[in-house]
Amino acid sequence: MSICKRTFWKYAFFPLLINAALLVHLMGRDPAWWGLRSHYQRLGCLGLPVGGQSALVQGLDQGFLLGAPPQRLLSVSPGSPRLEITDTPGWSLYTVAEGATSQAFIFEVQASGESLTFFPRVSGADSSVEVAALKSGDSGKTVPLARLAGKAGEWSPISARWSVPLLCLDRDNPIMLRVTLTGPWAQLWVRDGAAFF
């Protein structure tokens, strides 16, 4: 290799490469500081490895929210929903119906923000709550948004806030969300029929 090529790699290419990697790292830590947040998030929605959207955020013991966007329960399968009363005034919960191992609830939500909050609760290793967005126009295709899996011998905290990101979804139209309850101790807490806040 000639001296000219070695000089190029040593003094031009590698410093540029290191500076580019440092810039990507800094932008990944706080893209808003660079004024590029929306572009950065859009790249994450395209599946490019730039950090993307966090699939699940949990806050413990923060209390229940009261305000909810317009929404309605469209369908439950298999069977009909099992709604139980709770000790928390104004709140009830969906659980898996007798004889079923899991149930899927389809909600239509008119959301405008960057995320929605919901209140699942599980206990036991065979119980879980999953949320996925149904893709418009693609029958059966979903975008996984969140999954809460139970642990043996303990309940997840009551009123823990779980959030699902909406930045990669079309919010001009109602969002179709499928909540799948699996196992005997999977719960979705609702207030006046609203599951997302």
Side-chain angles (χ1 to χ4, degrees):
M1 187 181 283
S2 70
I3 295 175
C4 187
K5 285 184 180 178
R6 278 197 304 255
T7 304
F8 168 78
W9 287 106
K10 184 175 182 180
Y11 295 108
F13 181 75
F14 287 120
L16 284 175
L17 186 63
I18 290 169
N19 286 330
L22 182 61
L23 179 64
V24 168
H25 172 72
L26 291 174
M27 286 177 62
R29 294 190 62 160
D30 187 9
W33 189 77
W34 296 84
L36 300 173
R37 177 180 292 253
S38 61
H39 302 295
Y40 184 80
Q41 289 166 339
R42 185 55 54 194
L43 289 175
C45 292
L46 295 173
L48 299 177
V50 294
Q53 264 304 106
S54 122
L56 184 61
V57 178
Q58 179 187 13
L60 299 178
D61 302 317
Q62 295 174 324
F64 289 110
L65 298 171
L66 298 179
Q71 61 194 275
R72 62 189 175 126
L73 178 62
L74 295 181
S75 67
V76 180
S77 63
S80 57
R82 178 179 171 187
L83 189 63
E84 297 183 2
I85 304 299
T86 70
D87 293 334
T88 305
W91 289 84
S92 50
L93 58 89
Y94 286 118
T95 61
V96 177
E98 289 272 341
T101 56
S102 69
Q103 267 188 313
F105 297 74
I106 306 293
F107 288 89
E108 179 187 74
V109 184
Q110 185 64 58
S112 57
E114 294 185 354
S115 67
L116 285 172
T117 298
F118 68 109
F119 299 96
R121 199 163 184 230
V122 293
S123 177
D126 56 348
S127 293
S128 66
V129 177
E130 297 179 54
V131 178
L134 300 176
K135 284 189 169 182
S136 59
D138 291 337
S139 59
K141 299 227 175 177
T142 60
V143 178
L145 298 176
R147 184 174 193 276
L148 169 61
K151 294 180 182 175
E154 66 180 82
W155 277 96
S156 61
I158 194 168
S159 78
R161 296 180 183 182
W162 291 78
S163 297
V164 291
L166 303 178
L167 290 169
C168 298
L169 303 176
D170 176 17
R171 284 163 283 162
D172 293 332
N173 298 308
I175 297 170
M176 309 292 278
L177 295 173
R178 184 182 70 196
V179 181
T180 305
L181 303 181
T182 303
W185 308 114
Q187 302 175 347
L188 177 64
W189 286 57
V190 295
R191 182 180 179 91
D192 299 325
F196 293 93
F197 301 85

